[in-house]
Amino acid sequence: MENNGAKIEEGGVSSKNKIDYDKLIDQFGCQRLDQSFVDRVFRLTGRSPHIFLRRNVFFPHRDLNEVLDAYERGDKFYLYTGRGLSSEALHLGHLIPFMFTKYLQEAFKVPLVIQLTDDEKCMWKNLTVEESKRLARENAKDIIACGFDVSRTFIFSDFDYVGGAFYENMVRVAKCVTYNKAVPSFPSSFPHLFSGNDKLCCLIPCAIDQDPYFRMTRDVAPRLGYKKPALIESSFFPALQGVSGKMNAGDPNSAIYVTDSPKEIKNKVNKYAFSGGQDSVENHRKYGANLEVDIPFKYLSFFLEDDEELEHIRKEYGSGRMLTGEVKKKLIWWKDTVQQGQRLLMRWSMRSWQLDHFQICSTESAGS
Ligand code: TYM
């Protein structure tokens, strides 16, 4: 899909220009989230809005209001998201839908299914079955490290789970479209979780690259007598090389991976993060940084929780009083101490029984 010279495809975007999200939302036929939605989430859950809602990282959606209407009437919904295993580990962009999904699960106390499409990578990327399954387990560790509620989360790989009712739905869907990530959008695919609850709403958090697949899923649903899934979509977290670049699994320097060591992170940020600062300190003091294209600032605006500190950096860096090196330092500090520390702690304390536990999820605990 082309937009403003940008090519939107699964896994990201490559472009000469910045993506025009307003245009993309209109082209795709999505709706926009507004402040009233953010207020409604606060009212319904009593939890302060997630940083990604406050900062408009997630703003296109489809039928979100229906999900909230049902929730307000006392009906539950379930969350569904997934990962395609393009690399050994997740990068910061992949973390965005998972971090947000964790917040939604915690706020609404709903079940979650996570699909790992290990079969796709095996077929299309020429990996062996064993290697694809290994990647699925490695990626699952990063996903679990986001902190999902083990009693409400079912993580499955296609190789492990496809069969039975799931396969029946796959065949039904395959008569209409040829891909299998539509199938988890229908509760009847998980009889051990949602038996007898075929009208349960499904909400899919993902980035906007997934929209075309789920648009097709929504077209197919009524033909099969199923409910259309709702979606909440994020904008793209940019590559280190700039807002128009694409993170590329083949180029480890285009992204920060959750497995990168503090030394690698420091090196990547200092060497590759595109700067909107001026070419000399003199010019920088005079003209300030261009924050629209500055990657260290963009990264901080996704993740730095403290609104006041971000505002301070915006003013100081934008006016030239703060230099690029100082902003990069803040980003490296955040990545090292907060994100890296939390992830390593989770990962180190994880044993394989815990991984398996996410795959054995009882009907009561997932549905309650
Ligand atoms: P995959 O593995 O390419 O991406 C996993 C999730 O990360 C999102 N994403 C990003 N979000 C923000 N910024 C980025 N730069 C960025 N890059 C990727 C993707 O939108 C996705 O949500 N086929 C899918 C796997 C899948 C799936 C699903 C995803 C199966 N079922 C249901 C979402 C919902 C894939 O290859 O995703």
Side-chain angles (χ1 to χ4, degrees):
M1 160 78 63
E2 294 274 329
N3 164 277
N4 199 26
K7 201 166 165 219
I8 315 287
E9 54 196 0
E10 184 163 85
V13 60
S14 46
S15 149
K16 287 195 199 71
N17 309 310
K18 236 179 101 190
I19 308 175
D20 181 341
Y21 282 104
D22 282 326
K23 205 165 147 194
L24 194 60
I25 289 175
D26 290 337
Q27 270 174 3
F28 280 6
C30 300
Q31 298 143 286
R32 286 176 182 74
L33 275 184
D34 55 24
Q35 187 57 37
S36 69
F37 167 81
V38 180
D39 297 341
R40 197 174 177 201
V41 170
F42 179 52
R43 191 163 48 76
L44 287 177
T45 65
R47 293 185 72 98
S48 54
H50 191 271
I51 182 175
F52 294 160
L53 278 179
R54 291 203 316 265
R55 304 246 172 100
N56 273 330
V57 171
F58 279 79
F59 64 101
H61 76 97
R62 291 178 185 271
D63 287 348
L64 201 52
N65 288 328
E66 278 187 29
V67 174
L68 294 187
D69 290 346
Y71 185 81
E72 206 155 15
R73 286 193 304 269
D75 298 333
K76 287 256 159 162
F77 60 92
Y78 75 101
L79 294 160
Y80 156 44
T81 194
R83 165 81 178 119
L85 317 176
S86 48
S87 47
E88 183 88 20
L90 265 60
H91 60 49
L92 293 191
H94 296 133
L95 275 187
I96 289 184
F98 288 108
M99 288 169 75
F100 191 60
T101 303
K102 188 223 168 211
Y103 158 80
L104 291 174
Q105 181 185 53
E106 221 169 65
F108 289 97
K109 307 210 171 7
V110 287
L112 159 69
V113 297
I114 300 178
Q115 179 181 35
L116 306 173
T117 51
D118 48 1
D119 54 344
E120 265 179 25
K121 291 300 151 191
C122 180
M123 285 188 275
W124 310 121
K125 295 281 173 193
N126 203 18
L127 295 179
T128 61
V129 171
E130 290 71 24
E131 176 62 3
S132 304
K133 289 178 83 165
R134 190 189 67 78
L135 280 182
R137 276 184 89 76
E138 284 309 305
N139 275 253
K141 290 181 194 167
D142 292 336
I143 292 170
I144 291 168
C146 290
F148 295 106
D149 176 350
V150 68
S151 69
R152 291 197 172 94
T153 305
F154 177 58
I155 303 181
F156 66 97
S157 92
D158 287 348
F159 276 134
D160 285 338
Y161 187 65
V162 171
F166 194 96
Y167 187 62
E168 287 168 23
N169 269 346
M170 255 177 83
V171 172
R172 287 185 190 109
V173 170
K175 283 168 176 267
C176 311
V177 289
T178 53
Y179 63 95
N180 65 12
K181 64 184 154 202
V183 180
S185 318
F186 308 130
S188 59
S189 303
F190 304 100
H192 73 298
L193 300 178
F194 310 127
S195 165
N197 207 350
D198 289 357
K199 293 287 170 220
L200 193 66
C201 292
C202 172
L203 173 62
I204 307 175
C206 57
I208 200 164
D209 60 328
Q210 303 293 320
D211 187 83
Y213 299 97
F214 292 114
R215 201 181 326 145
M216 287 190 271
T217 305
R218 286 166 54 85
D219 288 345
V220 165
R223 284 157 66 189
L224 301 175
Y226 295 152
K227 217 174 159 66
K228 290 181 182 186
L231 287 127
I232 181 160
E233 300 171 358
S234 75
S235 50
F236 282 113
F237 186 78
L240 279 165
Q241 281 72 11
V243 283
S244 57
K246 185 180 169 199
M247 290 189 197
N248 178 354
D251 174 6
N253 294 324
S254 64
I256 296 175
Y257 285 85
V258 296
T259 39
D260 286 346
S261 68
K263 206 170 151 205
E264 282 168 320
I265 292 163
K266 190 171 173 191
N267 186 40
K268 280 186 183 183
V269 170
N270 283 335
K271 206 160 161 192
Y272 301 105
F274 186 84
S275 166
Q278 305 298 333
D279 51 4
S280 67
V281 173
E282 199 186 16
N283 280 342
H284 187 80
R285 300 279 188 221
K286 200 161 156 194
Y287 302 114
N290 178 356
L291 302 183
E292 281 298 302
V293 299
D294 189 86
I295 288 297
F297 182 73
K298 284 253 171 256
Y299 279 23
L300 285 172
S301 62
F302 273 78
F303 289 114
L304 186 68
E305 281 276 353
D306 187 333
D307 292 338
E308 272 177 29
E309 191 179 354
L310 189 71
E311 199 41 44
H312 173 75
I313 298 172
R314 184 196 306 282
K315 279 199 192 125
E316 295 297 299
Y317 190 34
S319 64
R321 284 191 292 272
M322 193 179 265
L323 299 175
T324 300
E326 297 171 67
V327 181
K328 286 189 169 181
K329 235 186 195 159
K330 282 191 193 289
L331 175 63
I332 294 165
W333 170 84
W334 168 79
K335 183 68 182 71
D336 281 356
T337 57
V338 184
Q339 201 265 329
Q340 185 85 349
Q342 183 190 19
R343 176 183 169 280
L344 287 182
L345 206 72
M346 296 286 290
R347 228 174 191 263
W348 279 340
S349 63
M350 202 178 293
R351 301 281 178 275
S352 37
W353 67 263
Q354 279 175 299
L355 257 183
D356 293 334
H357 195 67
F358 274 89
Q359 308 193 350
I360 309 160
C361 194
S362 74
T363 315
E364 289 80 17
S365 53
S368 60

